[in-house]
Amino acid sequence: KAGVTQTPRYLIKTRGQQVTLSCSPISGHRSVSWYQQTPGQGLQFLFEYFSETQRNKGNFPGRFSGRQFSNSRSEMNVSTLELGDSALYLCASSGLTGGGSAEAFFGQGTRLTVV
Amino acid sequence: KQEVTQIPAALSVPEGENLVLNCSFTDSAIYNLQWFRQDPGKGLTSLLLIQSSQREQTSGRLNASLDKSSGRSTLYIAASQPGDSATYLCAVRASGSARQLTFGSGTQLTVLP
């Protein structure tokens, strides 16, 4: 069974640009969450999507947005990039439903560097 | 707001030792707790998931316990090996509608050959 796939693995962007990251969850999983990991702040929750609807959002500015498609694949977009957006972006999928175990499985991440 | 703390921040042990990593959380209204391992520059690998109604889970040389009332979990690693060297993260999933994971800052483990 394939795991969570994130693309691309590495990105270098210039301040002011925008970027789109992609996440394909485990087959059958409908919940996709995004996290930002930095040395200073650790892992912080960005948002969660379930069946194409955003269910939760973390405390990040509106420059961070996302969406989920009917096949559960998700994308996150960061506009007007800042140096502080440099981080490892991790996607997690789970079968989180009313009665599921909700075990989270993570992808390998996308390393974004803003210069 | 849920806060998760992991102690110690770093740990170095000789190969073969048994060790315990600690995790504490402030809000006992949790859905589950999960332990992860992260190698440098990589994603997170799920080690053990404990549902809120469970007291412990075991997988191979790993055993995780959960005491919801005191807001604590421990990860016990038996007979440590150099390949166990990594950062271990504890994450709590809240109950209710906001079910995101809240992570501790991790314990960086080094097992010396």
mmCIF file of all heavy atoms in Angstrom, chain A residues 35 37 43 45 56 88 90 94 96-98 100-104 106-108 111, chain B residues 31-32 34 36 38 41-44 46 49 51 89 93 97-101 103:
data_model
loop_
_atom_site.group_PDB
_atom_site.id
_atom_site.type_symbol
_atom_site.label_atom_id
_atom_site.label_comp_id
_atom_site.label_asym_id
_atom_site.label_seq_id
_atom_site.Cartn_x
_atom_site.Cartn_y
_atom_site.Cartn_z
ATOM 1 N N TYR A 35 1.324 20.616 8.060
ATOM 2 C CA TYR A 35 2.084 21.136 9.188
ATOM 3 C C TYR A 35 3.356 21.805 8.672
ATOM 4 O O TYR A 35 3.929 21.390 7.672
ATOM 5 C CB TYR A 35 2.478 20.012 10.156
ATOM 6 C CG TYR A 35 1.289 19.373 10.842
ATOM 7 C CD1 TYR A 35 0.552 18.375 10.206
ATOM 8 C CD2 TYR A 35 0.895 19.774 12.116
ATOM 9 C CE1 TYR A 35 -0.548 17.793 10.818
ATOM 10 C CE2 TYR A 35 -0.200 19.200 12.735
ATOM 11 C CZ TYR A 35 -0.917 18.216 12.083
ATOM 12 O OH TYR A 35 -2.006 17.647 12.695
ATOM 13 N N GLN A 37 7.214 22.786 9.840
ATOM 14 C CA GLN A 37 8.236 22.473 10.830
ATOM 15 C C GLN A 37 9.443 23.371 10.643
ATOM 16 O O GLN A 37 10.053 23.402 9.572
ATOM 17 C CB GLN A 37 8.674 21.000 10.742
ATOM 18 C CG GLN A 37 9.627 20.606 11.866
ATOM 19 C CD GLN A 37 9.991 19.135 11.833
ATOM 20 O OE1 GLN A 37 10.070 18.526 10.782
ATOM 21 N NE2 GLN A 37 10.186 18.542 13.015
ATOM 22 N N LEU A 43 6.810 21.786 15.160
ATOM 23 C CA LEU A 43 5.735 21.430 14.231
ATOM 24 C C LEU A 43 4.479 22.207 14.582
ATOM 25 O O LEU A 43 3.966 22.120 15.697
ATOM 26 C CB LEU A 43 5.436 19.927 14.329
ATOM 27 C CG LEU A 43 6.314 19.048 13.477
ATOM 28 C CD1 LEU A 43 6.521 17.702 14.125
ATOM 29 C CD2 LEU A 43 5.670 18.882 12.104
ATOM 30 N N PHE A 45 0.480 23.296 13.247
ATOM 31 C CA PHE A 45 -0.639 22.930 12.412
ATOM 32 C C PHE A 45 -1.037 24.085 11.504
ATOM 33 O O PHE A 45 -1.209 25.221 11.967
ATOM 34 C CB PHE A 45 -1.805 22.531 13.311
ATOM 35 C CG PHE A 45 -3.111 22.332 12.608
ATOM 36 C CD1 PHE A 45 -3.328 21.207 11.822
ATOM 37 C CD2 PHE A 45 -4.135 23.254 12.743
ATOM 38 C CE1 PHE A 45 -4.537 21.008 11.188
ATOM 39 C CE2 PHE A 45 -5.346 23.066 12.115
ATOM 40 C CZ PHE A 45 -5.551 21.939 11.325
ATOM 41 N N ASN A 56 -10.440 22.602 9.831
ATOM 42 C CA ASN A 56 -9.732 23.351 10.862
ATOM 43 C C ASN A 56 -8.626 24.167 10.234
ATOM 44 O O ASN A 56 -8.070 23.780 9.206
ATOM 45 C CB ASN A 56 -9.097 22.396 11.891
ATOM 46 C CG ASN A 56 -10.123 21.726 12.753
ATOM 47 O OD1 ASN A 56 -10.914 22.373 13.407
ATOM 48 N ND2 ASN A 56 -10.099 20.405 12.750
ATOM 49 N N LEU A 88 10.244 22.982 6.558
ATOM 50 C CA LEU A 88 9.837 21.681 6.039
ATOM 51 C C LEU A 88 8.313 21.629 6.172
ATOM 52 O O LEU A 88 7.777 21.777 7.279
ATOM 53 C CB LEU A 88 10.490 20.553 6.830
ATOM 54 C CG LEU A 88 10.164 19.121 6.380
ATOM 55 C CD1 LEU A 88 10.726 18.846 4.980
ATOM 56 C CD2 LEU A 88 10.711 18.101 7.377
ATOM 57 N N LEU A 90 5.017 19.452 5.975
ATOM 58 C CA LEU A 90 4.639 18.045 6.083
ATOM 59 C C LEU A 90 3.141 17.872 5.925
ATOM 60 O O LEU A 90 2.349 18.669 6.441
ATOM 61 C CB LEU A 90 5.066 17.492 7.447
ATOM 62 C CG LEU A 90 6.576 17.376 7.650
ATOM 63 C CD1 LEU A 90 6.900 17.251 9.129
ATOM 64 C CD2 LEU A 90 7.128 16.177 6.899
ATOM 65 N N SER A 94 -5.045 10.615 7.260
ATOM 66 C CA SER A 94 -5.615 9.669 8.211
ATOM 67 C C SER A 94 -7.004 9.283 7.736
ATOM 68 O O SER A 94 -7.612 9.973 6.926
ATOM 69 C CB SER A 94 -5.675 10.263 9.618
ATOM 70 O OG SER A 94 -6.676 11.239 9.705
ATOM 71 N N LEU A 96 -9.489 9.547 9.428
ATOM 72 C CA LEU A 96 -10.245 10.147 10.522
ATOM 73 C C LEU A 96 -11.695 10.369 10.146
ATOM 74 O O LEU A 96 -12.016 11.191 9.304
ATOM 75 C CB LEU A 96 -9.608 11.482 10.910
ATOM 76 C CG LEU A 96 -10.221 12.205 12.102
ATOM 77 C CD1 LEU A 96 -10.088 11.383 13.367
ATOM 78 C CD2 LEU A 96 -9.534 13.551 12.308
ATOM 79 N N THR A 97 -12.551 9.571 10.756
ATOM 80 C CA THR A 97 -13.985 9.758 10.600
ATOM 81 C C THR A 97 -14.579 9.643 11.993
ATOM 82 O O THR A 97 -13.853 9.573 12.969
ATOM 83 C CB THR A 97 -14.602 8.670 9.693
ATOM 84 O OG1 THR A 97 -14.383 7.399 10.297
ATOM 85 C CG2 THR A 97 -13.974 8.696 8.319
ATOM 86 N N GLY A 98 -15.872 9.558 12.091
ATOM 87 C CA GLY A 98 -16.484 9.496 13.404
ATOM 88 C C GLY A 98 -15.999 8.333 14.247
ATOM 89 O O GLY A 98 -15.854 8.444 15.439
ATOM 90 N N GLY A 100 -13.157 6.201 13.377
ATOM 91 C CA GLY A 100 -11.856 5.668 12.976
ATOM 92 C C GLY A 100 -10.793 5.807 14.041
ATOM 93 O O GLY A 100 -10.968 6.522 15.010
ATOM 94 N N SER A 101 -9.666 5.099 13.848
ATOM 95 C CA SER A 101 -8.569 5.169 14.808
ATOM 96 C C SER A 101 -7.812 6.469 14.682
ATOM 97 O O SER A 101 -7.132 6.881 15.574
ATOM 98 C CB SER A 101 -7.610 3.995 14.607
ATOM 99 O OG SER A 101 -6.887 4.136 13.395
ATOM 100 N N ALA A 102 -7.895 7.113 13.529
ATOM 101 C CA ALA A 102 -7.284 8.420 13.322
ATOM 102 C C ALA A 102 -5.769 8.387 13.430
ATOM 103 O O ALA A 102 -5.175 9.378 13.812
ATOM 104 C CB ALA A 102 -7.848 9.458 14.292
ATOM 105 N N GLU A 103 -5.145 7.265 13.109
ATOM 106 C CA GLU A 103 -3.687 7.242 13.086
ATOM 107 C C GLU A 103 -3.224 8.099 11.921
ATOM 108 O O GLU A 103 -3.709 7.957 10.794
ATOM 109 C CB GLU A 103 -3.152 5.820 12.940
ATOM 110 C CG GLU A 103 -1.629 5.756 12.993
ATOM 111 C CD GLU A 103 -1.101 4.329 13.056
ATOM 112 O OE1 GLU A 103 -1.912 3.391 12.946
ATOM 113 O OE2 GLU A 103 0.121 4.164 13.225
ATOM 114 N N ALA A 104 -2.273 8.986 12.199
ATOM 115 C CA ALA A 104 -1.759 9.896 11.174
ATOM 116 C C ALA A 104 -0.505 9.313 10.542
ATOM 117 O O ALA A 104 0.379 8.818 11.232
ATOM 118 C CB ALA A 104 -1.451 11.254 11.798
ATOM 119 N N PHE A 106 2.545 10.365 7.807
ATOM 120 C CA PHE A 106 3.143 11.549 7.208
ATOM 121 C C PHE A 106 3.929 11.218 5.947
ATOM 122 O O PHE A 106 4.486 10.112 5.805
ATOM 123 C CB PHE A 106 4.089 12.217 8.211
ATOM 124 C CG PHE A 106 3.391 13.056 9.228
ATOM 125 C CD1 PHE A 106 2.755 12.473 10.309
ATOM 126 C CD2 PHE A 106 3.348 14.440 9.099
ATOM 127 C CE1 PHE A 106 2.091 13.255 11.255
ATOM 128 C CE2 PHE A 106 2.695 15.228 10.034
ATOM 129 C CZ PHE A 106 2.070 14.638 11.110
ATOM 130 N N GLY A 107 3.979 12.205 5.065
ATOM 131 C CA GLY A 107 4.848 12.117 3.907
ATOM 132 C C GLY A 107 6.267 12.525 4.279
ATOM 133 O O GLY A 107 6.562 12.857 5.423
ATOM 134 N N GLN A 108 7.158 12.519 3.280
ATOM 135 C CA GLN A 108 8.554 12.865 3.496
ATOM 136 C C GLN A 108 8.782 14.373 3.573
ATOM 137 O O GLN A 108 9.852 14.813 3.962
ATOM 138 C CB GLN A 108 9.428 12.277 2.376
ATOM 139 C CG GLN A 108 9.561 10.762 2.453
ATOM 140 C CD GLN A 108 10.235 10.339 3.733
ATOM 141 O OE1 GLN A 108 11.393 10.657 3.999
ATOM 142 N NE2 GLN A 108 9.507 9.616 4.577
ATOM 143 N N ARG A 111 10.850 20.485 1.399
ATOM 144 C CA ARG A 111 11.755 21.466 1.996
ATOM 145 C C ARG A 111 11.709 22.721 1.151
ATOM 146 O O ARG A 111 12.171 22.725 0.017
ATOM 147 C CB ARG A 111 13.173 20.909 2.053
ATOM 148 C CG ARG A 111 14.234 21.931 2.447
ATOM 149 C CD ARG A 111 14.181 22.305 3.889
ATOM 150 N NE ARG A 111 14.447 21.181 4.772
ATOM 151 C CZ ARG A 111 14.360 21.233 6.095
ATOM 152 N NH1 ARG A 111 14.001 22.354 6.684
ATOM 153 N NH2 ARG A 111 14.621 20.173 6.811
ATOM 154 N N TYR B 31 -8.248 12.687 22.113
ATOM 155 C CA TYR B 31 -8.822 11.613 21.304
ATOM 156 C C TYR B 31 -7.842 10.442 21.228
ATOM 157 O O TYR B 31 -8.215 9.291 21.354
ATOM 158 C CB TYR B 31 -9.136 12.144 19.915
ATOM 159 C CG TYR B 31 -9.926 11.219 19.033
ATOM 160 C CD1 TYR B 31 -11.291 11.030 19.236
ATOM 161 C CD2 TYR B 31 -9.312 10.545 17.988
ATOM 162 C CE1 TYR B 31 -12.022 10.180 18.412
ATOM 163 C CE2 TYR B 31 -10.028 9.695 17.169
ATOM 164 C CZ TYR B 31 -11.386 9.522 17.387
ATOM 165 O OH TYR B 31 -12.101 8.674 16.582
ATOM 166 N N ASN B 32 -6.580 10.764 21.003
ATOM 167 C CA ASN B 32 -5.534 9.758 21.042
ATOM 168 C C ASN B 32 -4.176 10.423 21.187
ATOM 169 O O ASN B 32 -4.070 11.646 21.178
ATOM 170 C CB ASN B 32 -5.567 8.831 19.820
ATOM 171 C CG ASN B 32 -5.360 9.560 18.501
ATOM 172 O OD1 ASN B 32 -4.636 10.542 18.427
ATOM 173 N ND2 ASN B 32 -5.994 9.074 17.441
ATOM 174 N N GLN B 34 -0.025 9.843 19.851
ATOM 175 C CA GLN B 34 0.786 9.105 18.895
ATOM 176 C C GLN B 34 2.261 9.451 19.107
ATOM 177 O O GLN B 34 2.615 10.622 19.325
ATOM 178 C CB GLN B 34 0.350 9.483 17.469
ATOM 179 C CG GLN B 34 0.684 8.467 16.411
ATOM 180 C CD GLN B 34 -0.076 8.723 15.093
ATOM 181 O OE1 GLN B 34 -1.009 9.514 15.026
ATOM 182 N NE2 GLN B 34 0.343 8.040 14.049
ATOM 183 N N PHE B 36 6.009 9.370 17.304
ATOM 184 C CA PHE B 36 6.632 9.353 15.985
ATOM 185 C C PHE B 36 8.152 9.353 16.139
ATOM 186 O O PHE B 36 8.699 9.797 17.148
ATOM 187 C CB PHE B 36 6.255 10.603 15.173
ATOM 188 C CG PHE B 36 4.815 10.715 14.814
ATOM 189 C CD1 PHE B 36 3.938 11.390 15.658
ATOM 190 C CD2 PHE B 36 4.329 10.182 13.637
ATOM 191 C CE1 PHE B 36 2.602 11.524 15.327
ATOM 192 C CE2 PHE B 36 2.994 10.309 13.284
ATOM 193 C CZ PHE B 36 2.127 10.989 14.146
ATOM 194 N N GLN B 38 11.539 10.746 13.839
ATOM 195 C CA GLN B 38 11.942 11.551 12.694
ATOM 196 C C GLN B 38 13.457 11.491 12.540
ATOM 197 O O GLN B 38 14.198 11.850 13.457
ATOM 198 C CB GLN B 38 11.489 13.012 12.835
ATOM 199 C CG GLN B 38 11.775 13.842 11.586
ATOM 200 C CD GLN B 38 11.222 15.244 11.672
ATOM 201 O OE1 GLN B 38 11.140 15.841 12.736
ATOM 202 N NE2 GLN B 38 10.807 15.797 10.524
ATOM 203 N N GLY B 41 16.011 15.590 8.381
ATOM 204 C CA GLY B 41 15.555 16.012 7.061
ATOM 205 C C GLY B 41 14.452 15.154 6.462
ATOM 206 O O GLY B 41 14.095 15.332 5.298
ATOM 207 N N LYS B 42 13.915 14.247 7.248
ATOM 208 C CA LYS B 42 12.890 13.339 6.731
ATOM 209 C C LYS B 42 11.536 13.622 7.354
ATOM 210 O O LYS B 42 11.383 14.462 8.240
ATOM 211 C CB LYS B 42 13.294 11.883 7.027
ATOM 212 C CG LYS B 42 14.612 11.464 6.410
ATOM 213 C CD LYS B 42 14.531 11.428 4.901
ATOM 214 C CE LYS B 42 15.844 11.048 4.252
ATOM 215 N NZ LYS B 42 16.160 9.632 4.406
ATOM 216 N N GLY B 43 10.534 12.865 6.864
ATOM 217 C CA GLY B 43 9.211 12.978 7.437
ATOM 218 C C GLY B 43 9.103 12.206 8.741
ATOM 219 O O GLY B 43 10.091 11.715 9.274
ATOM 220 N N LEU B 44 7.882 12.115 9.253
ATOM 221 C CA LEU B 44 7.632 11.432 10.519
ATOM 222 C C LEU B 44 7.173 10.004 10.257
ATOM 223 O O LEU B 44 6.326 9.774 9.383
ATOM 224 C CB LEU B 44 6.551 12.167 11.309
ATOM 225 C CG LEU B 44 6.961 13.369 12.149
ATOM 226 C CD1 LEU B 44 7.569 14.463 11.302
ATOM 227 C CD2 LEU B 44 5.779 13.905 12.924
ATOM 228 N N SER B 46 5.278 6.873 12.032
ATOM 229 C CA SER B 46 4.439 6.531 13.182
ATOM 230 C C SER B 46 4.986 5.287 13.870
ATOM 231 O O SER B 46 5.272 4.272 13.221
ATOM 232 C CB SER B 46 3.005 6.270 12.715
ATOM 233 O OG SER B 46 2.193 5.906 13.814
ATOM 234 N N LEU B 49 0.310 4.220 18.350
ATOM 235 C CA LEU B 49 -0.895 5.032 18.550
ATOM 236 C C LEU B 49 -1.621 4.473 19.763
ATOM 237 O O LEU B 49 -1.847 3.257 19.843
ATOM 238 C CB LEU B 49 -1.796 4.950 17.326
ATOM 239 C CG LEU B 49 -3.198 5.556 17.461
ATOM 240 C CD1 LEU B 49 -3.114 7.074 17.446
ATOM 241 C CD2 LEU B 49 -4.119 5.065 16.358
ATOM 242 N N GLN B 51 -5.135 4.952 21.825
ATOM 243 C CA GLN B 51 -6.447 5.593 21.918
ATOM 244 C C GLN B 51 -6.661 6.087 23.348
ATOM 245 O O GLN B 51 -6.062 5.576 24.293
ATOM 246 C CB GLN B 51 -7.551 4.610 21.531
ATOM 247 C CG GLN B 51 -7.411 4.018 20.143
ATOM 248 C CD GLN B 51 -7.672 5.025 19.045
ATOM 249 O OE1 GLN B 51 -7.977 6.179 19.281
ATOM 250 N NE2 GLN B 51 -7.522 4.575 17.807
ATOM 251 N N LEU B 89 9.046 12.166 18.669
ATOM 252 C CA LEU B 89 8.040 13.198 18.877
ATOM 253 C C LEU B 89 6.764 12.575 19.415
ATOM 254 O O LEU B 89 6.317 11.525 18.945
ATOM 255 C CB LEU B 89 7.736 13.910 17.561
ATOM 256 C CG LEU B 89 8.877 14.765 17.005
ATOM 257 C CD1 LEU B 89 8.796 14.854 15.503
ATOM 258 C CD2 LEU B 89 8.835 16.160 17.614
ATOM 259 N N ARG B 93 -3.846 14.239 19.847
ATOM 260 C CA ARG B 93 -4.965 14.663 19.013
ATOM 261 C C ARG B 93 -6.127 14.993 19.939
ATOM 262 O O ARG B 93 -6.537 14.175 20.761
ATOM 263 C CB ARG B 93 -5.374 13.580 18.016
ATOM 264 C CG ARG B 93 -6.384 14.088 16.990
ATOM 265 C CD ARG B 93 -6.848 13.009 16.040
ATOM 266 N NE ARG B 93 -5.836 12.522 15.125
ATOM 267 C CZ ARG B 93 -5.499 13.096 13.988
ATOM 268 N NH1 ARG B 93 -6.075 14.225 13.633
ATOM 269 N NH2 ARG B 93 -4.606 12.552 13.202
ATOM 270 N N SER B 97 -14.371 18.826 17.811
ATOM 271 C CA SER B 97 -14.346 19.129 16.390
ATOM 272 C C SER B 97 -12.963 19.501 15.878
ATOM 273 O O SER B 97 -12.634 19.266 14.717
ATOM 274 C CB SER B 97 -15.332 20.252 16.082
ATOM 275 O OG SER B 97 -14.968 21.411 16.817
ATOM 276 N N ALA B 98 -12.128 20.085 16.716
ATOM 277 C CA ALA B 98 -10.796 20.513 16.283
ATOM 278 C C ALA B 98 -9.810 19.398 16.571
ATOM 279 O O ALA B 98 -9.239 19.334 17.646
ATOM 280 C CB ALA B 98 -10.385 21.790 16.999
ATOM 281 N N ARG B 99 -9.600 18.512 15.613
ATOM 282 C CA ARG B 99 -8.830 17.306 15.896
ATOM 283 C C ARG B 99 -7.411 17.340 15.346
ATOM 284 O O ARG B 99 -6.875 16.302 14.987
ATOM 285 C CB ARG B 99 -9.564 16.088 15.361
ATOM 286 C CG ARG B 99 -10.852 15.824 16.112
ATOM 287 C CD ARG B 99 -11.376 14.449 15.825
ATOM 288 N NE ARG B 99 -12.592 14.177 16.576
ATOM 289 C CZ ARG B 99 -13.279 13.062 16.505
ATOM 290 N NH1 ARG B 99 -12.886 12.109 15.691
ATOM 291 N NH2 ARG B 99 -14.360 12.885 17.222
ATOM 292 N N GLN B 100 -6.813 18.511 15.310
ATOM 293 C CA GLN B 100 -5.441 18.534 14.825
ATOM 294 C C GLN B 100 -4.511 17.977 15.884
ATOM 295 O O GLN B 100 -4.821 17.931 17.061
ATOM 296 C CB GLN B 100 -5.001 19.955 14.461
ATOM 297 C CG GLN B 100 -4.853 20.907 15.638
ATOM 298 C CD GLN B 100 -6.088 21.738 15.839
ATOM 299 O OE1 GLN B 100 -7.195 21.326 15.500
ATOM 300 N NE2 GLN B 100 -5.895 22.931 16.378
ATOM 301 N N LEU B 101 -3.320 17.565 15.420
ATOM 302 C CA LEU B 101 -2.290 17.076 16.321
ATOM 303 C C LEU B 101 -1.519 18.255 16.911
ATOM 304 O O LEU B 101 -1.179 19.205 16.199
ATOM 305 C CB LEU B 101 -1.316 16.169 15.574
ATOM 306 C CG LEU B 101 -1.869 14.828 15.099
ATOM 307 C CD1 LEU B 101 -0.877 14.161 14.148
ATOM 308 C CD2 LEU B 101 -2.135 13.916 16.283
ATOM 309 N N PHE B 103 2.032 18.877 18.807
ATOM 310 C CA PHE B 103 3.295 18.170 18.986
ATOM 311 C C PHE B 103 4.118 18.734 20.128
ATOM 312 O O PHE B 103 4.093 19.948 20.406
ATOM 313 C CB PHE B 103 4.138 18.275 17.711
ATOM 314 C CG PHE B 103 3.688 17.379 16.603
ATOM 315 C CD1 PHE B 103 2.696 17.776 15.728
ATOM 316 C CD2 PHE B 103 4.254 16.121 16.442
ATOM 317 C CE1 PHE B 103 2.270 16.941 14.703
ATOM 318 C CE2 PHE B 103 3.839 15.281 15.414
ATOM 319 C CZ PHE B 103 2.847 15.697 14.556
#
